[in-house]
Amino acid sequence: MEIAAVHVVEAPDFGPPDYDEADVRRESWWTDLRVANPMSRYPRYEAVRADWLPDFRDFGVVVEAADGTLGYAPGRHGAPVAALVDDYLGERIAGEDAMATEKVHDMLERLCAPFGAGGIASYAVSAIDLALWDLKGNLLDRPVYELLGGPATDALDCYATGNDTDWHLELGFDATKLACPFGPADGKEGLLGNVDLVAESRELLGDAGELMLDCWMAFDEAYTVRLANRLREYDLRWMEETLWPKDLDAHRRVRDRVPFQTLATGEHWYTAAPFQHAATHDLVDVFQPDIHWVGGLTTVQKIASIAESAGKSAVLHCGGHTPYGQHASYGLPGIRWTEYPVTSPPGVALADAETRPGVAVPEDGELVPNDAPGFGVEFDPGRLDAFSY
Ligand SMILES: [Mg+2]
């Protein structure tokens, strides 16, 4: 079965969640929390990421087979990524075998070689790859996790992400990850603020719960080492993405300077290559590729294999947030834990806050993906309107 066409379409609008406002106890941490970030050193942008992050419109990628069967995946970062798919990559893979996910993925990465397969290009490759896997599942009438070999576990064990630790505990999670509010630009006072936040969360969780700290590229080597030493007594399961992702030498030095602290990173690494480098040079312990950013499911399979071969673990960035991450985590035994970001307000049941089709939500910290064909995203064939950019 050939690939007939690749379409760039308007993203479906699932509308706002229709939960009862009376359930809301307080605003979510997500609304306006200060999060240390790479722009924190510039006062005009220091506190809130929404002040500088791009507001490109999301879109969708549809791969159509010769018999009219469709596969769908969401696309991120709007016009720049949509143009790569629409004006270049899509037409280059038309006519290829729709089952040949490895070959087509290899073609996509090589087609991006003249301008680099990372960054923006990696979002384009990811969307096409995931739409192709969805198509493959739809053609075979099987869920994608079965195409990967079948379920690797009975249910995905999830940790919550966000700074509403009390609410996460109430929802039944026994593991939670905090967003770090302060970075080097906030001085000693900020450092102590970070310590206080971790101390309070550990107190709420007790000794049995797992606690992680996400530092979103905001630190440098010295600050990471200093904070890690101050936090040692709180037994963090890991410190995440403390460094600028491209500074691989700093990752090596931090690994040596805080040997007691498990380190995780990878959501802003693109293609499998940095993960292979990290395995070879023992940069971190936990690899965290994002399936929608790193190059799709085909790349995630490679990274999970690298992690297993190197004695590392792989935990997808926001893997519990989409059916794509859920199916990959369910089917690949190299992925042993699932991140579920909680951005809805405390008091609102997770199922009441979710409007997207095919997205399973955790109950008591566990979830089982949908078992529909493909990724189970139910793309409406009447919605092939071209994305305008
Ligand atoms: Mg992170």
Side-chain angles (χ1 to χ4, degrees):
M1 180 75 68
E2 282 187 4
I3 296 172
V6 178
H7 307 273
V8 177
V9 303
E10 293 288 334
D13 179 6
F14 303 117
D18 62 351
Y19 55 73
D20 190 340
E21 283 296 328
D23 291 342
V24 176
R25 296 180 200 165
R26 63 173 191 261
E27 291 220 33
S28 159
W29 71 284
W30 185 250
T31 310
D32 57 3
L33 184 85
R34 180 189 181 95
V35 177
N37 67 74
M39 292 292 281
S40 298
R41 63 173 62 180
Y42 302 109
R44 62 186 287 210
Y45 293 124
E46 68 180 330
V48 180
R49 289 178 290 187
D51 285 349
W52 61 269
L53 281 168
D55 57 357
F56 298 131
R57 285 197 308 130
D58 289 339
F59 61 97
V61 168
V62 174
V63 180
E64 180 177 1
D67 69 349
T69 306
L70 304 177
Y72 175 82
R76 309 279 161 88
H77 290 308
V81 177
L84 266 180
V85 177
D86 204 21
D87 299 339
Y88 180 50
L89 298 173
E91 58 197 48
R92 296 296 191 278
I93 62 166
E96 293 298 326
D97 188 329
M99 293 295 167
T101 43
E102 286 284 343
K103 177 190 176 188
V104 172
H105 188 274
D106 186 53
M107 289 176 67
L108 292 170
E109 281 207 351
R110 288 169 184 276
L111 286 163
C112 293
F115 43 81
I120 286 289
S122 188
Y123 289 83
V125 173
S126 302
I128 297 173
D129 181 77
L130 292 172
L132 193 58
W133 274 99
D134 187 47
L135 172 61
K136 194 172 180 175
N138 290 337
L139 286 168
L140 296 170
D141 198 29
R142 305 309 312 165
V144 169
Y145 63 74
E146 284 194 4
L147 308 185
L148 297 174
T153 179
D154 292 336
L156 296 176
D157 182 20
C158 301
Y159 72 85
T161 292
N163 290 24
D164 294 317
T165 303
D166 55 338
W167 174 234
H168 299 169
L169 287 168
E170 213 175 308
L171 286 169
F173 292 98
D174 59 5
T176 187
K177 185 169 79 189
L178 298 163
C180 192
F182 305 109
D186 302 302
K188 184 74 180 285
E189 196 181 340
L191 185 97
L192 296 176
N194 289 336
V195 174
D196 286 346
L197 173 66
V198 171
E200 287 161 16
S201 304
R202 172 53 77 197
E203 179 79 26
L204 277 173
L205 269 170
D207 273 348
E210 293 283 15
L211 182 62
M212 291 78 77
L213 183 67
D214 186 354
C215 310
W216 213 67
M217 310 176 275
F219 300 172
D220 54 22
E221 177 186 344
Y223 192 90
T224 302
V225 171
R226 193 176 186 197
L227 184 60
N229 278 294
R230 295 292 294 246
L231 295 179
R232 186 169 184 175
E233 64 183 286
Y234 303 108
D235 187 28
L236 289 175
R237 166 98 173 233
W238 70 57
M239 280 179 77
E240 174 173 325
E241 211 182 21
T242 60
L243 299 169
W244 186 239
K246 288 181 76 71
D247 192 350
L248 299 177
D249 287 344
H251 285 75
R252 181 86 277 285
R253 294 191 299 270
V254 164
R255 174 65 295 163
D256 285 344
R257 292 181 66 185
V258 290
F260 57 87
Q261 180 61 65
T262 299
L263 298 169
T265 202
E267 71 189 69
H268 295 99
W269 282 349
Y270 305 102
T271 77
F275 297 91
Q276 177 60 53
H277 180 91
T280 302
H281 299 282
D282 194 23
L283 301 188
V284 294
D285 309 288
V286 182
F287 295 163
Q288 300 174 297
D290 186 301
I291 197 167
H292 295 277
W293 308 352
V294 76
L297 176 56
T298 306
T299 306
V300 162
Q301 283 183 288
K302 297 179 202 298
I303 294 166
S305 297
I306 292 167
E308 282 194 290
S309 304
K312 309 287 187 187
S313 61
V315 179
L316 297 186
H317 171 249
C318 290
H321 186 57
T322 72
Y324 306 84
Q326 291 179 357
H327 275 248
S329 301
Y330 200 51
L332 295 172
I335 299 174
R336 307 296 290 272
W337 217 16
T338 302
E339 176 177 19
Y340 188 86
V342 181
T343 55
S344 48
V348 174
L350 296 179
D352 291 345
E354 182 56 72
T355 59
R356 297 167 300 162
V359 184
V361 298
E363 283 179 45
D364 289 329
E366 291 192 340
L367 74 78
V368 177
N370 73 67
D371 60 0
F375 291 106
V377 291
E378 301 172 24
F379 179 75
D380 173 1
R383 284 210 52 270
L384 279 172
D385 334 310
F387 178 67
S388 61
Y389 57 92

